[in-house]
Amino acid sequence: MATHGDILASSLLAKRCPMLPAAAYHIGDTQVRNVGTIGGSLVHADPAADWPAVVLALDAELEVTGPSGRRTIAAKDFFVDILQTSLQPGEIGSRVRLGVPLAPQLVAQQKGAEMPGGEVRGRLHDHGRDGQAQLNH
């Protein structure tokens, strides 16, 4: 799995999906970004973390591997509750699949922990047109 620092430093992601490096920038400090991974954050399922909201907003899929082989879980089905996922015993996160967004992307964010109900609000930018977005989870 990619570290938060890998995602932050990726010029390809900055061009194709700027929401990812923007989110990585706000994660912890340099030590955390250089060691922590997107996969580790997702399987921890902390609602105060940055990645769960990002993968939900991007309709990501998570590939998991376990004793029964591999399976793919939509992000909307992966998070069951606070600190709980749909991982089965013995399964680990092995890949995060993101479609390349063709629509406007979140370019600024406010952490959900600061708002009731775990809301994430952001500003959308689409080739000079701005708008508002909100994701409630």
Side-chain angles (χ1 to χ4, degrees), residues 37-108:
T37 65
I38 186 172
S41 177
L42 293 173
V43 300
H44 185 59
D46 186 339
D50 297 273
W51 292 127
V54 171
V55 299
L56 285 166
L58 292 174
D59 291 324
E61 296 179 334
L62 291 88
E63 184 177 292
V64 300
T65 305
S68 300
R70 292 184 180 190
R71 66 186 180 112
T72 301
I73 308 167
K76 66 181 180 59
D77 299 322
F78 184 76
F79 303 104
V80 175
D81 205 343
I82 294 173
L83 303 175
Q84 293 182 355
T85 68
S86 58
L87 287 173
Q88 298 298 312
E91 287 183 327
I92 60 170
S94 52
R95 182 176 294 171
V96 179
R97 290 193 186 118
L98 303 166
V100 177
L102 300 175
Q105 287 205 23
L106 182 69
V107 293

